[in-house]
Amino acid sequence: MLFLTRKRRCLDNKANVYKENPMHRVGLVIIGGDAAGMSAASAARRVNPELEVILLEKGEYISYAACSLPYFISGELRSVEDLLALKPHVAEKGREIKVFTGSEARAIDLERRRVIAIDRRTGQEVHYAFDGLVIATGASPIVPQLAGVDLKGIFTIRRIEDGIEVRRFIDQWGSKRRMKAVVVGGGHIGLEMCESLSKRGLKVTLIEKTDRLLGTMDVEIGDKVEEVLQRHGIEVLKEKTVSGFKGVSGRVSSGDVEADMVILGMGVKPNSDLAKDAGIELGVASAIKVNEHLGTSAEGVYAAGDCAEAIHVVTGKKVYIPLGTTANRQGGIAGENATGRKTVFKGVLGTAMTKVFELEVARTGLTGSEATREGFDFIKVEVRGSSRSKAYPQGKPIHVLYIVEPRTGRLLGAEMAGEEWVALRIDTLASCLFNGMDVFDIGAMDLGYAPPFATVWDPILIAANEAAKRISRA
Ligand SMILES: Cc1cc2nc3c(=O)[nH]c(=O)nc-3n(C[C@H](O)[C@H](O)[C@H](O)COP(=O)(O)OP(=O)(O)OC[C@H]3O[C@@H](n4cnc5c(N)ncnc54)[C@H](O)[C@@H]3O)c2cc1C
């Protein structure tokens, strides 16, 4: 499917559109204006400068850094401006992308190839006829249907507006008393919010329903996270399920834990209803089903980011791992392909990193639990290295876990925790995984060394050599 729509023609059409009926035919329509949507718009524009590109965003902001919201709430980022990568007028002038904020797509009519949207400011219905469409509607936080969940003081963290509200709430009440917060969910967002709220001076309790924190990583790393939280005065309640919320004299209580505010960090679900209602197929975890070109089951319609599934590089299976990195990469490729290219999206490894106070944790590929679930035969190799040479002051321990297939020596996944240079070290291992390397080759890599940055045998090499030894001995 190729788009021949020229900017000239669309401009000519515009007069009819707005005068007679609210119909506007464009080359490419994109629904959703954050990471995936804006990457798609920019890539399409780069590939085909003649194509008219329209981006519909239901909120007021585009291209914002949701990942930085915990640091905005903590005050490390000062203003909303710091969260914005691109403003609508810059996208319009600099990139010639027509941006409609406050414009919510309500339906996709595949037969007549148009998106039916509502202008949220005027309530007017506007139809955008398209040659190509990219759905980049992202994901929404999971909000449990529990009693009292709508009470004032209960928040989710996803959009800029959420960050503004939480910050305002703390500014308003935090000056009057030492506030207490409950964070529900010990995943990445829950943990980052524990740090953020604690930095604002709140007393924080973390409630996690399973027996460990950071369930996306193995227990060895989760235990380190728990240690650091406790060191910073965060109360951790595991194997505890929240059954509802009560509002008592302006305070919220979650079961028997009292608080002034509650943050729900219980995961996200893909915003795929728009696609589903249009008859587009859904896949893993109800995310939009896509092929290797990010095409959906409807011709000329692509999906990218947190609303879409992806292929896992290690298992070759479809997965739903919503991350900003993936949203940007998928968005770019969906945008290119919507102009007629056939670029392949090469998949994901779930490479992720986070900081919990001074502890950096990172992962790529499969964890031990995931390898078990996928039926791999594997060994887990655990080593402790250092971030700097022994001879150089202030080196910090680095804890490394490798998941290795013993029959082939292939690395299946890696995790790390430590206080210095862990997060970026994981990227070396992501490169190894992306290229299907085994521990013999990883152990032979020529990595850099100087005392302030590494040990002469980097922890990456030490772990690979230890794995190689164990395999050879077996
Ligand atoms: C607190 C936090 C920390 C995070 N940290 C990290 C991190 O460190 N690293 C990382 O890789 N990822 C991180 N993420 C995840 C990352 O932010 C998301 O993966 C990324 O934002 C997904 O981008 P997206 O464009 O697919 O979806 P979204 O960011 O959800 O954007 C979708 C957009 O579509 C709009 N939209 C939805 N429906 C419609 C409609 N019908 N009509 C018009 N517009 C619509 C929405 O308003 C939204 O702006 C974090 C997320 C949060 C919340």
Side-chain angles (χ1 to χ4, degrees):
M1 177 96 178
L2 199 37
F3 307 109
L4 304 171
T5 316
R6 303 253 149 193
K7 276 195 249 169
R8 181 80 248 140
R9 198 191 106 204
C10 294
L11 290 176
D12 290 345
N13 278 352
K14 252 186 196 161
N16 290 339
V17 173
Y18 294 114
K19 259 194 217 149
E20 278 150 34
N21 70 44
M23 170 71 84
H24 185 188
R25 176 164 288 281
V26 291
L28 179 61
V29 172
I30 293 161
I31 308 174
D34 194 21
M38 189 44 75
S39 298
S42 304
R45 159 65 56 249
R46 213 169 30 245
V47 173
N48 183 353
E50 290 298 304
L51 185 72
E52 188 170 24
V53 180
I54 280 199
L55 186 137
L56 307 177
E57 166 54 52
K58 71 176 178 186
E60 290 306 316
Y61 301 98
I62 58 162
S63 209
Y64 45 88
C67 312
S68 295
L69 285 173
Y71 313 108
F72 171 72
I73 292 166
S74 69
E76 287 156 279
L77 301 190
R78 289 178 162 238
S79 75
V80 171
E81 298 284 307
D82 296 333
L83 293 166
L84 303 176
L86 195 67
K87 291 186 181 162
H89 70 274
V90 180
E92 294 212 353
K93 286 223 171 80
R95 303 192 189 176
E96 291 193 62
I97 296 159
K98 188 90 191 114
V99 177
F100 291 96
T101 54
S103 189
E104 179 173 357
R106 291 279 175 86
I108 301 166
D109 180 346
L110 288 174
E111 214 168 293
R112 297 174 68 188
R113 301 196 78 69
R114 61 186 183 163
V115 173
I116 296 130
I118 292 283
D119 180 330
R120 292 172 79 164
R121 295 183 196 104
T122 62
Q124 192 196 355
E125 190 172 283
V126 186
H127 296 189
Y128 297 89
F130 60 83
D131 287 326
L133 178 68
V134 176
I135 306 174
T137 44
S140 297
I142 292 171
V143 178
Q145 294 308 304
L146 296 176
V149 78
D150 296 327
L151 281 170
K152 196 161 169 260
I154 301 183
F155 302 94
T156 54
I157 306 291
R158 179 76 195 180
R159 300 161 54 77
I160 290 199
E161 290 82 351
D162 302 330
I164 295 172
E165 262 186 67
V166 172
R167 200 158 127 163
R168 199 176 287 146
F169 192 82
I170 298 172
D171 288 345
Q172 189 185 352
W173 296 106
S175 56
K176 299 193 175 100
R177 57 175 182 245
R178 183 168 189 215
M179 293 175 74
K180 284 187 182 169
V182 163
V183 174
V184 186
H188 282 251
I189 293 177
L191 294 170
E192 287 174 7
M193 283 311 299
C194 285
E195 176 180 344
S196 169
L197 297 175
S198 161
K199 282 187 170 157
R200 289 293 311 263
L202 278 76
K203 168 108 191 61
V204 183
T205 301
L206 173 64
I207 299 182
E208 162 58 44
K209 76 169 178 198
T210 69
D211 60 354
R212 64 192 172 109
L213 302 184
L214 203 53
T216 52
M217 296 178 72
D218 280 331
V219 66
E220 294 85 341
I221 308 289
D223 286 350
K224 290 201 160 297
V225 168
E226 189 171 341
E227 269 168 45
V228 81
L229 287 178
Q230 280 167 347
R231 212 159 50 230
H232 284 269
I234 310 287
E235 184 185 18
V236 178
L237 304 177
K238 292 186 294 186
E239 296 183 83
K240 194 166 170 74
T241 311
V242 174
S243 54
F245 303 92
K246 280 190 204 141
V248 188
S249 35
R251 308 187 103 186
V252 199
S253 79
S254 147
D256 43 5
V257 185
E258 262 208 18
D260 298 282
M261 63 184 296
V262 175
I263 303 284
L264 301 175
M266 305 173 78
V268 297
K269 55 178 190 315
N271 293 331
S272 53
D273 283 353
L274 192 63
K276 183 177 153 207
D277 293 346
I280 294 170
E281 268 183 65
L282 302 188
V284 170
S286 296
I288 301 172
K289 187 173 181 176
V290 286
N291 61 25
E292 60 178 359
H293 302 117
L294 302 175
T296 68
S297 61
E299 213 204 325
V301 180
Y302 297 79
D306 282 10
C307 63
E309 57 178 25
I311 285 187
H312 198 287
V313 172
V314 174
T315 62
K317 291 186 184 167
K318 290 284 185 71
V319 285
Y320 179 62
I321 307 180
L323 282 170
T325 44
T326 306
N328 280 288
R329 291 190 305 130
Q330 281 190 328
I333 290 177
E336 271 180 40
N337 290 347
T339 68
R341 289 204 174 172
K342 284 273 174 220
T343 307
V344 170
F345 178 68
K346 293 195 173 155
V348 299
L349 285 164
T351 309
M353 49 186 76
T354 196
K355 183 178 90 63
V356 188
F357 295 98
E358 61 274 16
L359 186 71
E360 297 174 18
V361 293
R363 62 159 287 177
T364 185
L366 301 182
T367 61
S369 323
E370 288 164 351
T372 305
R373 211 162 49 232
E374 290 298 328
F376 279 98
D377 179 24
F378 69 90
I379 56 167
K380 192 186 260 190
V381 177
E382 190 172 1
V383 302
R384 283 171 180 77
S386 174
S387 61
R388 305 181 192 206
S389 156
K390 249 193 194 157
Y392 197 89
Q394 290 173 352
K396 306 277 187 203
I398 293 185
H399 187 156
V400 184
L401 287 181
Y402 278 5
I403 307 299
V404 182
E405 191 175 49
R407 191 175 49 84
T408 59
R410 179 183 168 213
L411 184 70
L412 300 174
E415 293 162 74
M416 284 193 197
E419 292 179 20
E420 190 170 59
W421 300 323
V422 156
L424 292 178
R425 259 192 179 86
I426 207 75
D427 284 343
T428 304
L429 292 164
S431 314
C432 298
L433 280 169
F434 215 78
N435 290 294
M437 287 170 72
D438 60 34
V439 288
F440 306 104
D441 281 341
I442 295 172
M445 284 195 308
D446 182 18
L447 300 184
Y449 158 69
F453 309 117
T455 47
V456 72
W457 287 98
D458 192 273
I460 287 177
L461 302 177
I462 299 174
N465 290 333
E466 178 59 28
K469 264 192 251 160
R470 278 183 50 187
I471 291 169
S472 313
R473 277 201 302 264

